[in-house]
Amino acid sequence: MNPHRQQTARISIGRVSIGAGAPVSVQSMTNTLTSDAAATIAQIRALAAAGCDIVRVSIPDAESLAAFAAIRRASPIPLVADIHF
């Protein structure tokens, strides 16, 4: 181990562990309008099928925030919300 390398803490996002020797996780971000829950859910499912472990979802407005509850319930993998308002 490199003596100058700082040790990291392990955290969990849903069932996925990150840091402190955890396996590398594949992350991506949706590019749909989050307010379009059906399109966003379809994209998250496609990402999961391709091997993605965690998906980031942009929440730029109140409509997207309202849709996020349904998206979260339907998501097969953990989500991270990027809140912009």
Side-chain angles (χ1 to χ4, degrees):
M1 180 185 282
N2 182 342
H4 302 288
R5 187 172 178 175
Q6 190 174 27
Q7 220 25 24
T8 60
R10 184 175 288 204
I11 64 165
S12 294
I13 300 176
R15 66 183 183 279
V16 179
S17 293
I18 298 174
V24 172
S25 59
V26 176
Q27 300 179 42
S28 190
M29 185 167 190
T30 59
N31 63 3
T32 56
L33 292 175
T34 307
S35 57
D36 183 348
T40 302
I41 291 165
Q43 190 170 76
I44 291 168
R45 288 181 176 156
L47 287 166
C52 189
D53 298 306
I54 299 169
V55 176
R56 294 169 57 140
V57 178
S58 177
I59 306 202
D61 51 37
E63 293 80 19
S64 296
L65 180 60
F68 187 72
I71 294 166
R72 183 187 56 80
R73 283 191 301 273
S75 178
I77 57 178
L79 302 176
V80 174
D82 287 355
I83 301 173
H84 299 269
F85 71 98

